[in-house]
Amino acid sequence: MARYLIVGGVAGGATTAARLRRLDEHAEIIMFERGNYISYANCGLPYYVGGVISERDRLFVQTPESFKARLNVDVRINEEVIAIDRSTKSVSIQKRDGSTYSESYDKLVLSPGAEPLRPPIPGIQDEEIFTLRNVPDTDRIKDYVDSHNVQHAVIVGAGFIGLEMAENLHHKGIKVTIVEMAEQVMTPLDYEMAAAVHQHLKTKNVEFYLKDGVSSFVREKSGLQVRLKSGRSVPTDMVILSIGVRPDSKLAEDAGLELGINKGIRVNEYMQTSDPDIYALGDAIVFPNPITNEECHTYLAGPANKQGRLVADNIINGNVRKYKGSISTAIAKVFDITVGATGVSEKILRKSGIPYVASIIHASSHAGYYPDALPLTIKIVFNPENGKLLGGQIVGFDGVDKRIDMLAHILKHGETIYDMQEIEHAYAPPFSSAKDPVNMAGLVAENIVRGMVKIIHWHEIRDLNLKDITLIDVRTPDEYALGSIEGSVNIDVDQLRSRLDEIPKNKKVIVFCGTGLRSYFAARILMQNGYEDVQNLSGGYITYEYATQKQSNEDIFHGDYIGKDDHIYQGKEAGPAPAAGGKTVEVDASGLQCPGPIMRLKNEIDRLSDGDQLKITASDPGFAKDVPAWCNMTGNKLLQVTTEGKKISAVVQKGGGKALSAEDGGGKNKTLIVFSDDLDRALASFVIANGAASTGKKVTMFFTFWGLNVIKKRGVAKTDKDLMGKMFGMMLPKSSQGLGLSKINFAGMGPVLMRKRMKDKNVDSLEMMIMQAKQAGVQMIACQMSMDIMGVDASELIDGVSIGGVASYLEEAEQSNLNLFI
Ligand code: FAD
C-alpha cells in the first residue's frame, strides 16, 4: 500500500489529497496542517472581516472530520512538519504540545503556501498591526475591529488583498488610508489602468499616499502613529500590513531542495522538485512564465487548485501530465469597480525586451440603449508580427469577469487578436453588444497592425513638443469646453472635411476624442486626404485624463462624516434637494459614456422653461465631476449631486444659477494665466490685472507652474515635503522677492537694477502691485495640479489666494473677452 504525505491542508494540499484518494482507494494518505483549519476559503477572509460574509462557518469548505468521512484522509491539524529526511524518506512532525514524531513516505507533497512579509520597520511589533493570511489572523482583525470602536485604519500596501481590506473596512464605516510605495496600486496593472482605480478610490473618499512608504510605527499617548518616508504622520487605530508575501519554503530549503527566485521551490513540468519523490505546488513554487519564460511566482488560488489535480495524477499514474505555467489571471472587486488582469503587462514586456503593441479601448458592459450599461476599459498587449495576445487588463463596473476570462482563454491557448475578433459570445442587449468589447479590442488591434491607423499613447503626448505637431480634439465644442489636452485645437469630427485648410500638411497631426473611436474616423479622413503623418490617441482623452491628473488622495480626513449611503463626505451633510418650483422632469442617461450624459443634460435643459428642474441619472463616473462644471458654465443651478452605488444623480434647475455670462461681466471679464516667474513678466501681468480691475472688470489670475513663485509668502518654507518637493523648494525662488528677469541677469544684478529703476521712476514694486490687486478684488487662483508637481504647499502662498483646478479657470475664461498667457 502506497503512503502519501501532504504538507499543508488548504488550497493545494487539500485538492491533492482529494484527487489522490479518488485515484487510489487503498493508499494511505496523511495530510498535515499546522493550523487549526483545513480547506477554508482564504479568498473570502476580507469579506468576512467586512461583514459581507456574515457567517463564519461559511468559510469552511471541509473539516478534518468531513474529509475523513468522505475521503478517508488522515488529517492531522495542529501538527507542523519541521524536517524532511530525504535519505530515509521520512518527515519529522511537531505537535502543539512540543512533542515530535516521524512518518515515512513513498511520495511527499509540499503545499505550504506563502507567508506575509513583515519587514523590520521600527515599531512593527505593535499589537495594533495585523497581517491577513489565515483564519486566526481574520478572527484577530475582526475581534479587534468589533471591540475597539475602530474609526480609522491604515492599509500598508495596495495589492489585491490590501484593496479588498480597504473596501471591507470602509464598508464597516471605518475611514481608510492606504500607503503604497509604488507610484500606483495593483502592480499587475499598467499605470494608466491603475490610474482609473485611483480616480475611483477618490470618489469613495479613501485617503491614499502613493510613492510613499512607512518609515516607522510609533506608539504615542494619543495612539498609534504611522510615520511615512515623506515626513507625514498618520494617526490611526489599527494597521493592516499587506505589502506582499514570500514562499513558505524553509522546510524545502533545509531539506536541500533546489530553490528559485525569492526562495520559491523550483519544480519541473511534472511539478516534481529536485527530488523526484517530492512534489510541490501552490504559492510556494516558482515556474517559468509561459509568456516571458522567466521564472515567476503565482500567488493565486486557481492555479494551486488545478496543480493539485495534476500532482495527484502524476503521482498515481507516473508523470503523465505536464504543467504549462500560469498566465496569472486575477480579478478583484474594488468598491464599485472590478479590476481584472491576465498575461503580462506592458511594463513587464518592456522590461523583458519582448516586442509588443499596446492598445486601449473604452466600451460599454452591454448595449448602450439597454438600461444600466456601464463603462469598461480594456487594454491589450500583443505581438506586432503575428498578433499573438500577450496580456490584457480590464477596469469597469460590470462584465469585467467574463471579458477577462475571454482574454485569458485566448492567451492560454496561444491565440491572437484575430481570434479575439472571432469569439462567438452570447448576445442579447442586457448582456453585451452584437460585437462584444473583446471582439472590438481585437478589431482595433487589427487596424493598428494593418496600418489603418497609427496610434500614440498618453505618455508620448505628454512628452511631445507641441510646436512640432497639430493636436486636434475632434469632439464637439461643448465637450472641448469641459476640458481637453493643453495645446489642442478643437475641430469637431463632423466638420473635419470642411476645415481641412486649417490643418497644415507638413506637420504631424495627432487626433483624439473621448475614447479613440471618433478620432479613428478623423484619422481615416485625414489619411485619405493627403496627411501622411497622422496618429490617434489610444484610449482617448478619458485615459489621458485619468493618467495625467493627480493620482494620490492626501489629507482628506478633515471635518468629514460617513453618510447613510456608505460614502464618506466632507463638511456638512447634504440635505435633500430643494423642492421644485416649476415642473420636474426625470431622465435616465445611464449607459451613456462621456460626453453622452452631458449632451443629454443639455438637450433636456434646452426643452425646459426657467425654474423647471431636471433630475438626471447617469452611470458614467465622470458625470459627477462634469455636471457642476457644466452648470457653472451655462448658468443653470445645480441643486444636488448624489451617488448611489454605481449611479450618479443630479438635480439641475434651469436658469436658476448664476447667469454667469450676463451677471459676471457680460463676457467682459479678464483672465490671465501666469505661467512665468520672471520678474518683468510678473510685473506686466499685475499692471494689466490692476488696470483692468480699476475699470470695474472682474479679473482672475490663474497661477500655474513657475507662476506659483510669484505668489509665495515671504519666509514660509514647509518642511515636511517629499524628496522632490524639497528639491524643488531648494531650487525655486522662495517668494516674489527672489524673482529674476527674463533678460539681463548680470550675475543676479539684473533684478536689483530693475527694482532700483522702478523705485527711481516711482513705479510700484511687484509686492505693492500684488497688494493693490488683492485690494481691488483681483481673484488669484493657484493651480492645484502645479502645486502638487512643484511641491508647493497651500501654507506657502500669500493670503487670499484660492486653490483650484482647470475647471475653475475655464469657468472664468468662459466669461472673459481677454485671456492672456504670460
Ligand atoms: P495555502 O492555501 O496558504 O495553504 C498552505 C497551508 O500550509 C497553510 O494553511 C499553512 O498553515 C500550511 N503549512 C505551511 N507549512 C506547514 C508545515 N510545515 N506543516 C504543516 N502545515 C504547514 N487567490 C485568488 O486566486 N483569488 C483571491 O481572491 C484570493 N484572495 C485571497 C485573500 C487572502 C486574504 C489570502 C490570504 C489569499 C488569497 N488568495 C487569493 C491567494 C490564495 O488563497 C492562495 O494562492 C492559495 O491559497 C495558495 O494555496 P497553497 O496551498 O499554496 O497555500
Side-chain angles (χ1 to χ4, degrees):
M1 187 167 58
R3 204 154 199 268
Y4 305 126
L5 304 188
I6 299 169
V7 180
V10 190
T15 317
T16 310
R19 178 73 175 168
L20 280 172
R21 172 58 72 224
R22 286 195 290 269
L23 294 177
D24 184 349
E25 178 59 18
H26 306 292
E28 190 177 354
I29 307 171
I30 306 173
M31 185 168 83
F32 298 97
E33 168 54 56
R34 70 174 163 214
N36 207 14
Y37 305 94
I38 60 155
S39 197
Y40 59 84
N42 330 39
C43 312
L45 299 179
Y47 298 96
Y48 173 63
V49 172
V52 177
I53 298 173
S54 54
E55 291 170 41
R56 188 173 177 278
D57 284 350
R58 302 292 298 263
L59 295 172
F60 303 105
V61 185
Q62 294 282 353
T63 61
E65 296 74 30
S66 66
F67 224 63
K68 173 78 182 164
R70 176 72 50 88
L71 296 161
N72 190 25
V73 170
D74 182 355
V75 179
R76 301 188 188 170
I77 55 168
N78 296 318
E79 296 196 11
E80 179 171 3
V81 177
I82 52 169
I84 304 168
D85 185 343
R86 288 163 56 196
S87 60
T88 57
K89 289 182 74 175
S90 65
V91 298
S92 304
I93 302 115
Q94 184 168 47
K95 294 186 179 187
R96 272 281 153 90
D97 61 9
S99 61
T100 56
Y101 68 101
S102 64
E103 292 283 4
S104 63
Y105 61 81
D106 291 314
K107 299 287 178 199
L108 175 66
V109 178
L110 303 179
S111 191
E115 57 186 349
L117 295 173
R118 255 188 118 96
I121 301 171
I124 198 159
Q125 298 310 337
D126 192 286
E127 59 184 19
E128 287 171 5
I129 301 172
F130 301 86
T131 52
L132 177 60
R133 177 186 182 183
N134 50 32
V135 176
D137 292 343
T138 312
D139 288 339
R140 261 193 298 277
I141 295 171
K142 194 162 165 57
D143 289 350
Y144 188 83
V145 167
D146 293 344
S147 60
H148 282 76
N149 186 26
V150 172
Q151 305 279 320
H152 179 265
V154 171
I155 312 273
V156 185
F160 283 55
I161 296 176
L163 290 185
E164 284 178 357
M165 282 306 294
E167 177 188 341
N168 277 285
L169 292 176
H170 184 279
H171 182 75
K172 283 183 89 75
I174 295 170
K175 290 183 230 166
V176 175
T177 299
I178 299 173
V179 180
E180 169 58 59
M181 277 267 258
E183 60 179 354
Q184 63 166 87
V185 301
M186 302 181 124
T187 42
L189 298 183
D190 286 318
Y191 182 79
E192 68 280 347
M193 298 299 278
V197 182
H198 301 160
Q199 305 317 326
H200 183 64
L201 288 175
K202 284 185 191 174
T203 70
K204 295 292 166 191
N205 282 310
V206 172
E207 184 176 72
F208 56 101
Y209 298 94
L210 300 171
K211 290 192 268 182
D212 206 349
V214 176
S215 56
S216 63
F217 299 101
V218 180
R219 177 141 301 274
E220 290 184 347
K221 266 204 194 120
S222 55
L224 184 61
Q225 296 279 337
V226 183
R227 296 264 156 85
L228 305 188
K229 292 197 170 135
S230 59
R232 271 195 171 80
S233 194
V234 184
T236 193
D237 300 322
M238 70 182 297
V239 173
I240 306 278
L241 208 59
S242 62
I243 50 176
V245 293
R246 67 166 157 239
D248 200 339
S249 57
K250 174 117 189 1
L251 186 64
E253 186 180 16
D254 291 348
L257 297 177
E258 208 176 292
L259 303 183
I261 54 158
N262 295 328
K263 297 197 172 178
I265 307 170
R266 190 170 278 156
V267 293
N268 65 16
E269 57 196 347
Y270 302 109
M271 312 230 60
Q272 270 170 316
T273 64
S274 51
D275 181 330
D277 291 320
I278 305 177
Y279 288 74
L281 70 158
D283 286 1
I285 64 158
V286 285
F287 194 84
N289 177 290
I291 299 160
T292 61
N293 275 326
E294 287 165 20
E295 202 167 63
C296 72
H297 302 274
T298 306
Y299 300 122
L300 291 168
N305 277 273
K306 286 161 195 153
Q307 290 160 9
R309 185 180 172 102
L310 187 146
V311 165
D313 286 1
N314 286 344
I315 288 176
I316 301 290
N317 299 323
N319 287 354
V320 287
R321 292 184 61 194
K322 287 186 182 174
Y323 184 56
K324 300 190 187 92
S326 165
I327 53 168
S328 299
T329 306
I331 192 160
K333 175 177 174 306
V334 184
F335 293 83
D336 297 341
I337 58 171
T338 308
V339 180
T342 185
V344 287
S345 59
E346 179 178 2
K347 63 186 162 208
I348 298 276
L349 291 170
R350 203 182 305 130
K351 215 168 117 209
S352 306
I354 297 174
Y356 70 89
V357 172
S359 164
I360 299 175
I361 68 153
H362 299 277
S364 281
S365 54
H366 58 248
Y369 57 83
Y370 186 86
D372 295 339
L374 291 160
L376 192 74
T377 304
I378 301 183
K379 174 172 183 175
I380 57 168
V381 277
F382 54 93
N383 182 302
E385 296 301 319
N386 56 19
K388 197 167 157 185
L389 189 65
L390 303 170
Q393 297 161 36
I394 309 184
V395 178
F397 289 83
D398 194 18
V400 171
D401 51 350
K402 69 172 171 179
R403 273 66 187 228
I404 203 72
D405 288 347
M406 288 185 196
L407 292 181
H409 183 90
I410 292 277
L411 243 156
K412 189 82 192 169
H413 293 91
E415 292 176 358
T416 65
I417 54 168
Y418 309 104
D419 299 304
M420 281 170 61
Q421 299 166 17
E422 287 174 19
I423 293 179
E424 261 191 53
H425 64 295
Y427 161 63
F431 305 103
S432 181
S433 298
K435 282 190 205 132
D436 188 81
V438 172
N439 299 142
M440 291 303 300
L443 293 165
V444 170
E446 184 186 355
N447 287 341
I448 298 166
V449 170
R450 300 229 186 277
M452 292 283 288
V453 66
K454 278 197 271 183
I455 54 164
I456 184 162
H457 290 282
W458 64 271
H459 52 91
E460 294 167 315
I461 289 208
R462 191 194 49 186
D463 302 338
L464 275 177
N465 186 345
L466 281 174
K467 277 200 304 230
D468 307 331
I469 54 162
T470 310
L471 182 60
I472 309 176
D473 183 339
V474 301
R475 298 175 300 161
T476 63
D478 285 342
E479 292 170 77
Y480 182 72
L482 287 173
S484 187
I485 301 178
E486 212 174 304
S488 64
V489 292
N490 180 219
I491 303 179
D492 188 330
V493 64
D494 294 337
Q495 296 173 1
L496 188 59
R497 290 184 181 86
S498 58
R499 293 178 61 183
L500 289 174
D501 55 345
E502 295 174 35
I503 308 168
K505 279 209 165 115
N506 57 350
K507 276 186 175 183
K508 179 200 281 289
V509 184
I510 296 174
V511 283
F512 68 94
C513 62
T515 64
L517 180 61
R518 276 177 284 171
S519 49
Y520 169 59
F521 298 147
R524 292 301 302 156
I525 293 170
L526 292 170
M527 288 167 78
Q528 293 176 76
N529 275 284
Y531 290 84
E532 283 172 6
D533 195 0
V534 182
Q535 284 178 308
N536 183 19
L537 173 60
S538 188
Y541 184 61
I542 295 179
T543 294
Y544 180 90
E545 199 193 16
Y546 273 150
T548 55
Q549 63 188 281
K550 184 172 186 291
Q551 301 296 319
S552 49
N553 199 28
E554 298 150 354
D555 303 322
I556 66 164
F557 294 131
H558 297 299
D560 45 6
Y561 68 95
I562 297 174
K564 293 182 191 68
D565 57 358
D566 196 27
H567 293 102
I568 298 175
Y569 293 97
Q570 294 196 309
K572 266 176 55 205
E573 191 150 4
K583 69 174 179 182
T584 299
V585 173
E586 289 197 20
V587 294
D588 185 2
S590 304
L592 299 180
Q593 284 198 33
C594 179
I598 283 292
M599 305 310 292
R600 186 77 198 275
L601 172 63
K602 178 178 184 301
N603 292 341
E604 296 294 336
I605 285 282
D606 283 349
R607 278 185 226 160
L608 298 181
S609 309
D610 275 1
D612 289 349
Q613 294 187 5
L614 178 76
K615 182 173 184 207
I616 180 164
T617 307
S619 51
D620 175 24
F623 186 64
K625 178 174 71 72
D626 287 346
V627 70
W630 184 85
C631 287
N632 282 337
M633 270 192 273
T634 54
N636 294 296
K637 189 172 181 184
L638 179 64
L639 300 178
Q640 194 186 44
V641 189
T642 51
T643 310
E644 272 180 53
K646 298 164 188 173
K647 290 274 170 90
I648 298 147
S649 297
V651 182
V652 178
Q653 185 175 31
K654 175 151 182 176
K658 272 202 304 177
L660 293 175
S661 46
E663 286 172 16
D664 290 359
K668 291 186 182 146
N669 296 339
K670 316 292 168 202
T671 320
L672 288 84
I673 302 175
V674 185
F675 172 81
S676 164
D677 65 353
D678 292 331
L679 175 62
D680 39 355
R681 292 195 167 108
L683 283 166
S685 56
F686 276 95
V687 168
I688 297 166
N690 288 346
S694 69
T695 64
K697 298 288 177 298
K698 185 177 173 206
V699 181
T700 302
M701 302 177 83
F702 190 73
F703 294 85
T704 180
F705 285 90
W706 316 114
L708 292 170
N709 297 325
V710 180
I711 47 168
K712 277 188 189 163
K713 238 186 245 174
R714 210 173 164 194
V716 178
K718 203 154 185 289
T719 48
D720 58 345
K721 296 183 176 184
D722 61 17
L723 183 65
M724 290 305 284
K726 281 188 184 139
M727 278 171 62
F728 270 111
M730 277 188 307
M731 291 183 295
L732 296 174
K734 307 276 178 294
S735 72
S736 58
Q737 300 277 352
L739 305 187
L741 288 174
S742 62
K743 301 197 189 308
I744 318 175
N745 190 26
F746 281 150
M749 282 307 290
V752 180
L753 291 176
M754 170 67 94
R755 283 184 184 268
K756 178 169 186 315
R757 187 136 179 87
M758 285 167 63
K759 201 170 171 197
D760 293 345
K761 296 280 174 191
N762 273 336
V763 178
D764 287 327
S765 67
L766 175 60
E767 291 64 39
M768 181 63 83
M769 287 192 202
I770 294 174
M771 205 179 77
Q772 287 162 356
K774 272 173 30 182
Q775 283 166 355
V778 171
Q779 189 185 8
M780 296 187 225
I781 303 176
C783 167
Q784 172 72 70
M785 185 269 292
S786 306
M787 287 173 66
D788 293 333
I789 292 176
M790 311 286 285
V792 176
D793 191 80
S795 61
E796 292 174 83
L797 300 179
I798 56 175
D799 296 339
V801 172
S802 59
I803 295 168
V806 70
S808 321
Y809 161 70
L810 285 173
E811 239 175 78
E812 299 301 337
E814 191 74 5
Q815 304 142 47
S816 300
N817 63 353
L818 177 78
N819 202 349
L820 295 177
F821 186 92
I822 299 174

